[in-house]
Structure formats: C-alpha cells, structure tokens
Amino acid sequence: MSDTITRLLDAAETGIRLRGYHAVSFRDLAEELGIKSSSVHYYFRQKEDLGLAVVERYTERVFAALTAETANTETPIDYLTAFVSVYRHALKGSDSICLCGMLGAESAGLPEKLAAAVAAFFQENIDRIAANLPRTMPAKARREKATHILATLQGAMTVATSLKSHKVFDNAVRDLLAGAEV
Amino acid sequence: MSDTITRLLDAAETGIRLRGYHAVSFRDLAEELGIKSSSVHYYFRQKEDLGLAVVERYTERVFAALTAETANTETPIDYLTAFVSVYRHALKGSDSICLCGMLGAESAGLPEKLAAAVAAFFQENIDRIAANLPRTMPAKARREKATHILATLQGAMTVATSLKSHKVFDNAVRDLLAGAEV
DNA sequence: ACCTGTCTACCTACTGATCGGTAGGTTGCC
DNA sequence: GGCAACCTACCGATCAGTAGGTAGACAGGT
C-alpha cells in the first residue's frame, strides 16, 4: 500500500474518531498531507469509498489485536480482561473513541454500506465475546452478557472522552469485570 | 415559549440525535418548518446558541423524567430499574440515541460550551446513580458502578441503533441489572 | 543512445450546491 | 408608533466532485 494511501487513511481515521464523519473534509485531509484535494479523489473516488476503506482497515486491525491479545487466555475472565485491554489501549493511544463507536452513533446519516460495515463490526464483537463465556451459561444469557460488555466498552469511551478523563473508562470497566466474575 | 422556537428545538434535537451536530443545517431546519433560514437566525443568532438551547431543554426534560420515574422507588434495584426505563423509553420513542450520547462522541469537534454542557449531563447522571446505590458500598465502588451503568446505557443505545434492533438495548440492560442485584 | 508510448502520481482550474451568517426590508397586530 | 415575526437578497467560505493537463519513471523497439 502506497505511503500516501496509508497517510490518508491515518488522517481520515483520526478525524472521524475525534469529530465524526461529516466533520472530515477532503480539503482538510489534503492540506494535512501537503497535497491537493483533487489528489485525494485520485485514490478515493468518493468520500464513501474513503470511509469504507478506513472502516475495513480499522476492523482488520482491531480483530487482529483481539486475536493476538486473547490468544493464550484460558478462563473466560482472562479472556474478558484481555479483550477489554485492547479497547483500553485504543482509547489511551489515540485519546479518542472507537471508530465504530463514532460511526455507529452517526449511522442514520451515513451511506448504507458504511453503516452496514459498522454494524458488522459490532456483531462480530458480540459473537466473539459470547463464544468465550462459560459453556455452562445458557446461550441467551451469553448473548446478553456479550452485548452488555460491548455496550459498556463503547459507552465508557464516549463518556470518558466527554469528561476528559481516562479514569472514567477504567472505573466503568473495573465494575464491569468485577461483576463478570461469575 | 413560542411555537416556532419549540418546533425548531424539536427539529434540531431530532436531527442531532439521528445524524449528529455537523449534519444539521439551518436550511434544513427552516425548510422543515416552512420558514426561511434567516428566520432561524432571528431566534438563534449562531448555531452554537441553538445547540446549547437544545442541550439545555433536553437536560431539563431528562432529569425531570428521571426524578418523576424514580420518585417512589425504595430499594437501589428499584431505583436502577426506573432509571433505566427512562432511557429505554427515550430510545424507543425516538428511535435514536441519547442527544448527549451523540454530542459526547462528537465533543472534540464541538464549541467548548456545548461540550461542557454535555459533560455536565454525564456527570449529573453518574452522581444521581451513585447517590442511590446502597450506603453499605464504599464511595469508590459506588462511583465505579454508577459510571459503569451510565456507560452501558449510552453504549447500548449506540449499538442497538447501529444493529437496528431495540432488543440489543434490552439484552445489554437485562444483564446489567441482573449483575447489579447485589 | 535515442525515441515513443504508457503508467503513476499528482497538478490547475473549475462546477454547482451548501454552509453559517448579515443587512435591511415588510407585514400585521396591539 | 412600535414591536414581533418573519421576509428578500445577499456574502464569502466551504463542500464533494469533475475535466483535463503534466512531470517523471520505466519499457521496448530501433
């Protein structure tokens, strides 16, 4: 992948995670890279194409990190702790919320394909968590707990960013994991 | 409050909750009411003023509903059930997320005063929940659980809206309350 | 060694639509 | 006459997107 494409995806991802899809413009991205906005259209014909590429790359990166981080966990609580640490790292490394947390909030105003990609990201998160909850739990209870965990992570990032304190995220997650030790 | 102002606040709130602050324009609002965009400036000099008025009215309405709904609760779990039902009602009535959930996500790209008003909304939510948790819990644990509960509610609205199913919200909240019965 | 064609990675220059915002009417009620 | 509730008619900035040009690298043929 060319350097310019990578830098474009980086700038777009940062902008979307901080301010939202509609607050990111081709002109701003171009200016940040030192090129012209028409050159951005050379790589991404429409804004939707850029958005989709950002979500695709983000999805792959997050799931790769989740797979790696949870690889050697043995108990469900170890798995959850590792899972959560990937999100904690994402928040602290970027000082912004999850890309899909932002796009999920905006999804009614997004191109359909983009909204669908975000929904798929959420669903895959829920499925992965549910698959690693104790086998002794009924399937319905696992689905509920998995949804609860994803919702808490996403909401904790939003509230922590608004209150400008990563501790808010840690506080929410500490109680989440304390309650999950079933 | 004049009818036009109420209708403007309604239209702006709906637009922001569905698509975000930057996706709402004076022109669209005016068109929806059948007036001209310059007339919107007659009521709200700047977009920021409109945004602040929307958040103010929303904050008052939500806290009034929370106060009313939780008025006759006796146990912490009753309080939480009533608290959560206000958010459930907000989601189902509007088919969109919490106004402050959207603005909190976008807060890095918002006028400062607006971001501050949203942060205050979150903080007040946390304080109210914490104040109604069992007195037997240490203050720190109450703060953590309260943050956890607000984060779950906000995240559950986002994920449910993205996955286009209110059941997602119910699933997350059912597990949240099941774990909260301490 | 020199021309020729093709390709990538941009560029200039522009379009029509839309943005928030302003100046200065007009209309109808009290 | 004065005021509230609009209006027309703009402004300059910004938006996504398009048309068509160019400079440089590389390849193949002669």
Side-chain angles (χ1 to χ4, degrees):
Chain A
M1 185 132 60
S2 100
D3 182 58
T4 302
I5 290 184
T6 302
R7 291 170 65 212
L8 270 175
L9 293 174
D10 288 346
E13 182 184 321
T14 302
I16 295 173
R17 290 175 68 177
L18 277 173
R19 298 179 304 276
Y21 182 78
H22 296 293
V24 168
S25 77
F26 275 39
R27 271 177 178 69
D28 290 345
L29 296 179
E31 201 165 335
E32 196 175 325
L33 300 219
I35 60 176
K36 296 294 164 180
S37 75
S38 55
S39 301
V40 179
H41 284 281
Y42 170 74
Y43 294 102
F44 300 99
R45 224 174 65 85
Q46 299 182 90
K47 191 176 181 182
E48 179 178 350
D49 298 326
L50 172 59
L52 278 168
V54 169
V55 172
E56 251 169 61
R57 191 187 65 158
Y58 182 82
T59 298
E60 279 168 23
R61 206 177 65 224
V62 169
F63 286 134
L66 285 173
T67 301
E69 195 77 11
T70 60
N72 294 317
T73 58
E74 280 169 13
T75 65
I77 189 68
D78 280 354
Y79 181 90
L80 291 183
T81 304
F83 195 99
V84 155
S85 83
V86 170
Y87 276 89
R88 177 184 288 115
H89 193 261
L91 170 68
K92 303 204 172 172
S94 69
D95 217 5
S96 60
I97 67 174
C98 170
L99 176 77
C100 291
M102 176 66 83
L103 295 176
E106 291 180 303
S107 62
L110 258 30
E112 262 185 49
K113 281 185 194 171
L114 206 44
V118 171
F121 174 87
F122 285 147
Q123 190 60 58
E124 170 76 9
N125 270 268
I126 293 172
D127 291 345
R128 284 199 182 206
I129 297 169
N132 285 278
L133 257 13
R135 302 289 158 89
T136 53
M137 283 175 71
K140 184 166 182 259
R142 273 190 280 163
R143 198 164 52 240
E144 288 175 1
K145 188 172 285 301
T147 307
H148 169 196
I149 290 167
L150 175 65
T152 305
L153 290 175
Q154 294 294 335
M157 295 181 105
T158 297
V159 176
T161 301
S162 174
L163 292 177
K164 299 181 190 196
S165 164
H166 294 165
K167 280 185 188 166
V168 169
F169 178 87
D170 291 330
N171 283 347
V173 163
R174 198 173 302 124
D175 188 75
L176 170 71
L177 291 181
E181 294 193 54
V182 189
Chain B
M1 185 136 55
S2 103
D3 183 57
T4 302
I5 290 184
T6 303
R7 292 170 65 211
L8 269 176
L9 293 173
D10 288 346
E13 182 184 320
T14 302
I16 295 173
R17 289 176 69 179
L18 278 173
R19 299 178 302 277
Y21 183 78
H22 296 293
V24 168
S25 78
F26 276 39
R27 270 174 179 71
D28 289 346
L29 295 178
E31 201 165 334
E32 195 174 325
L33 300 219
I35 61 176
K36 296 294 164 181
S37 75
S38 56
S39 301
V40 180
H41 285 281
Y42 171 74
Y43 294 101
F44 301 99
R45 223 173 64 83
Q46 299 181 90
K47 190 177 182 182
E48 179 178 350
D49 298 326
L50 172 59
L52 278 168
V54 169
V55 172
E56 252 168 58
R57 190 187 65 157
Y58 181 82
T59 297
E60 280 168 24
R61 207 177 64 224
V62 169
F63 287 134
L66 285 173
T67 300
E69 194 77 11
T70 60
N72 294 317
T73 59
E74 283 169 10
T75 65
I77 189 68
D78 280 353
Y79 181 89
L80 291 183
T81 304
F83 195 99
V84 156
S85 84
V86 170
Y87 277 89
R88 178 185 286 115
H89 194 261
L91 170 68
K92 302 203 173 174
S94 68
D95 216 7
S96 59
I97 67 174
C98 170
L99 176 76
C100 292
M102 176 66 83
L103 295 176
E106 291 180 302
S107 63
L110 258 31
E112 262 186 48
K113 281 184 195 172
L114 205 44
V118 171
F121 174 88
F122 285 146
Q123 190 60 59
E124 171 75 11
N125 269 269
I126 292 173
D127 292 345
R128 285 198 181 206
I129 298 169
N132 284 278
L133 257 12
R135 302 289 158 86
T136 53
M137 283 175 70
K140 185 168 183 259
R142 275 190 279 164
R143 197 162 55 241
E144 288 175 2
K145 188 172 285 298
T147 307
H148 169 195
I149 290 167
L150 174 65
T152 305
L153 291 174
Q154 294 294 337
M157 297 181 104
T158 298
V159 176
T161 301
S162 173
L163 291 177
K164 299 181 191 201
S165 165
H166 294 164
K167 281 185 187 165
V168 170
F169 178 88
D170 291 330
N171 284 346
V173 164
R174 198 172 304 125
D175 189 75
L176 171 72
L177 290 181
E181 293 192 54
V182 189

